[in-house]
Amino acid sequence: MSTLADSLFGVIENRISPIAARLSSQRHVVAIKDGFIASMPFLIVGSFMLLFSHPPFSQDSQWGFAQWWLGMVKQYNDQLMMPYNMTMGIMAVFITGAIAYNLAQSYKLNGLMAALLSLMTFLVVAAPEKNGALSVASLGGEGIFTAILISLYCTEVMHWLVKYNIGFKLPEQVPPKIRQSFDLLIPIMVIFLTLYPLNLFMESHFGLLIPQAIMSVFAPIISAADSLPAVLIAVLLCHLLWFAGIHGAAIVGGILQAFWLSNLGLNQEALNAGQEIPKIFIEPFWQFFITVGGSGATMGLVILYLRSRSAHLRAIGRLGFVPGMFNINEPIIFGSPVVMNPLLFIPFITTPLINAVIAWTATRTNLINHVISLAPWTTPGPIGAAWSTGWDWRAVVLVAFLICLSTLIYYPFFKMYERQLLAQEGEMAQEQLAEEMK
């Protein structure tokens, strides 16, 4: 058993960790991740307004407050939905500019110019003007993958032109801002000579814009990503990386972010249309059900630490309890430590996997609502679960159950680790006493 464990830890440390470390620092991956992070405030506000526009009450409710809320939404629906339409409804616009800006910054280019070029390009291919209006159909969730590709392409065009010193050579006397604006002329020409003809060709021959064509290509992948096996693979990879001391949530979450936002957009479109909510695997599902308390679903472990006989674990429990309530558990992961600790490896890996199976089953069987809103990941688990599922009280009950279950799963491994630490603390106390006796 020990040989098997050593072999597994060796694979994680020598094979998986170096690849993950290089991936986490790769400039394009970092730009995409940071672009999504920069867009989050808009998406959270938009999601909240969508929830406000869909009261959690039936139309025949006799409660006065429910009747007032339902009546207000019916009367002012267009006004209440405007913040949603201008945030979540056009999320791909924010994502395009944010990714281009961050990638340009990594190349020491002008981030604002890259963002403007990418926004123009995205609107050209995703919202061509017809009858004096721009279509918003591809500016939301359907345009996310196009936003990523467009922002990367436009910034790489700028980088390539700068690298080979291709551009208009203006005198030094010309003000810097004017020179910067002229630097965009050739990139704009490149865009209109490459992507614009392609978009016209796609529309005339296939009746599709580039975002629709890209979504048709990604549709099988998106569908496969919204499955229990995909969830379990993502959870397993994330926690193997964490166990090796690498921030697995940042790496796996960065990869999954585009799929999460696409699924969220589909769920919100279905909600607005009064249709059945189709998708399960969205970021709040991960944050508030699978990893409640932080990666490894360690809230149960924190509870055990608080009553531990080991002074070290008790101190770590006190230090990690409040952050753990807000899904921040680095004090637990590195303070215990969980990283490369064979006694805590099994529960750290299996607890979120079991949570994923239970939460997936509960959602699929409609024991709890599907996720329809984006809550900040630092929201305490029960509140975040209710918020993201449209104020479903059953989600609160499920989170409480999962915390209790994680406590039971961690308990036998915690006791083994506690005995080990108590023995070490006893030896240290004896050595200290011996030193004092001298």
Side-chain angles (χ1 to χ4, degrees), residues 374-390:
L374 192 63
W377 66 271
T378 51
T379 307
I383 299 174
W387 179 344
S388 61
T389 55

Side-chain angles (χ1 to χ4, degrees), residues 47-101:
S47 293
F48 180 81
M49 291 307 299
L50 179 69
L51 277 184
F52 190 79
S53 300
H54 291 80
F57 308 110
S58 63
Q59 293 293 328
D60 56 356
S61 174
Q62 299 301 310
W63 188 25
F65 176 73
Q67 285 296 312
W68 170 81
W69 191 346
L70 290 165
M72 185 179 63
V73 167
K74 184 176 181 180
Q75 183 176 357
Y76 300 106
N77 183 67
D78 291 342
Q79 291 86 343
L80 292 173
M81 285 295 291
M82 184 60 70
Y84 166 80
N85 293 330
M86 293 296 103
T87 51
M88 281 295 304
I90 56 171
M91 70 170 88
V93 173
F94 304 112
I95 291 169
T96 301
I99 293 176
Y101 179 89

Side-chain angles (χ1 to χ4, degrees), residues 387-409:
W387 179 344
S388 61
T389 55
W391 306 114
D392 184 3
W393 64 269
R394 298 171 300 177
V396 177
V397 175
L398 178 59
V399 170
F401 170 77
L402 294 175
I403 292 174
C404 294
L405 181 62
S406 71
T407 306
L408 293 175
I409 295 172

Side-chain angles (χ1 to χ4, degrees), residues 137 253 344:
L344 296 178

Side-chain angles (χ1 to χ4, degrees), residues 27-28 31 97-118 151-166 177 180-181 183-184 187:
R27 71 171 73 243
H28 298 87
I99 293 176
Y101 179 89
N102 283 286
L103 182 57
Q105 291 286 89
S106 74
Y107 281 129
K108 309 301 182 185
L109 300 174
N110 188 306
L112 176 60
M113 294 294 107
L116 292 175
L117 176 65
S118 299
S151 57
L152 298 183
Y153 174 71
C154 291
T155 309
E156 288 297 337
V157 167
M158 287 185 62
H159 177 241
W160 185 84
L161 293 172
V162 170
K163 180 179 179 181
Y164 291 99
N165 199 26
I166 300 173
K177 294 298 180 183
Q180 289 174 6
S181 65
D183 287 342
L184 274 188

Side-chain angles (χ1 to χ4, degrees), residues 74-352:
K74 184 176 181 180
Q75 183 176 357
Y76 300 106
N77 183 67
D78 291 342
Q79 291 86 343
L80 292 173
M81 285 295 291
M82 184 60 70
Y84 166 80
N85 293 330
M86 293 296 103
T87 51
M88 281 295 304
I90 56 171
M91 70 170 88
V93 173
F94 304 112
I95 291 169
T96 301
I99 293 176
Y101 179 89
N102 283 286
L103 182 57
Q105 291 286 89
S106 74
Y107 281 129
K108 309 301 182 185
L109 300 174
N110 188 306
L112 176 60
M113 294 294 107
L116 292 175
L117 176 65
S118 299
L119 285 172
M120 180 215 72
T121 307
F122 180 74
L123 292 175
V124 165
V125 303
E129 183 269 340
K130 288 184 179 179
N131 300 321
L134 300 181
S135 171
V136 298
S138 297
L139 302 186
E142 186 177 287
I144 286 177
F145 292 100
T146 304
I148 295 172
L149 297 175
I150 290 293
S151 57
L152 298 183
Y153 174 71
C154 291
T155 309
E156 288 297 337
V157 167
M158 287 185 62
H159 177 241
W160 185 84
L161 293 172
V162 170
K163 180 179 179 181
Y164 291 99
N165 199 26
I166 300 173
F168 291 102
K169 304 299 185 291
L170 298 178
E172 290 296 325
Q173 293 81 5
V174 176
K177 294 298 180 183
I178 295 179
R179 285 209 307 272
Q180 289 174 6
S181 65
F182 270 78
D183 287 342
L184 274 188
L185 288 176
I186 292 181
I188 291 173
M189 291 169 59
V190 171
I191 295 305
F192 278 109
L193 290 174
T194 56
L195 289 182
Y196 185 53
L198 176 61
N199 203 50
L200 293 176
F201 174 81
M202 294 290 298
E203 189 172 13
S204 62
H205 285 73
F206 302 102
L208 296 173
L209 297 176
I210 286 180
Q212 296 163 349
I214 291 175
M215 276 300 290
S216 66
V217 172
F218 276 95
I221 303 175
I222 295 174
S223 179
D226 189 52
S227 65
L228 183 56
V231 173
L232 296 179
I233 291 171
V235 171
L236 179 61
L237 178 59
C238 170
H239 289 81
L240 287 175
L241 293 174
W242 260 123
F243 191 74
I246 296 174
H247 201 306
I251 296 173
V252 175
I255 295 171
L256 291 173
Q257 197 66 243
F259 297 96
W260 284 341
L261 287 178
S262 294
N263 288 342
L264 179 63
L266 292 171
N267 279 6
Q268 292 182 342
E269 289 174 9
L271 177 67
N272 283 328
Q275 300 170 351
E276 183 178 353
I277 308 298
K279 301 296 183 179
I280 295 177
F281 194 29
I282 303 173
E283 185 175 8
F285 180 83
W286 176 289
Q287 300 289 0
F288 304 125
F289 296 111
I290 297 177
T291 60
V292 57
S295 294
T298 54
M299 200 63 215
L301 186 61
V302 173
I303 294 171
L304 293 171
Y305 279 3
L306 289 173
R307 300 181 61 84
S308 175
R309 292 183 296 144
S310 164
H312 171 73
L313 295 184
R314 198 163 55 250
I316 294 300
R318 291 170 180 169
L319 181 66
F321 179 73
V322 173
M325 291 178 61
F326 298 92
N327 300 314
I328 300 170
N329 68 340
E330 278 80 357
I332 301 300
I333 289 179
F334 296 106
S336 299
V338 174
V339 172
M340 299 306 291
N341 185 338
L343 288 178
L344 296 178
F345 173 73
I346 292 177
F348 185 74
I349 297 293
T350 57
T351 302

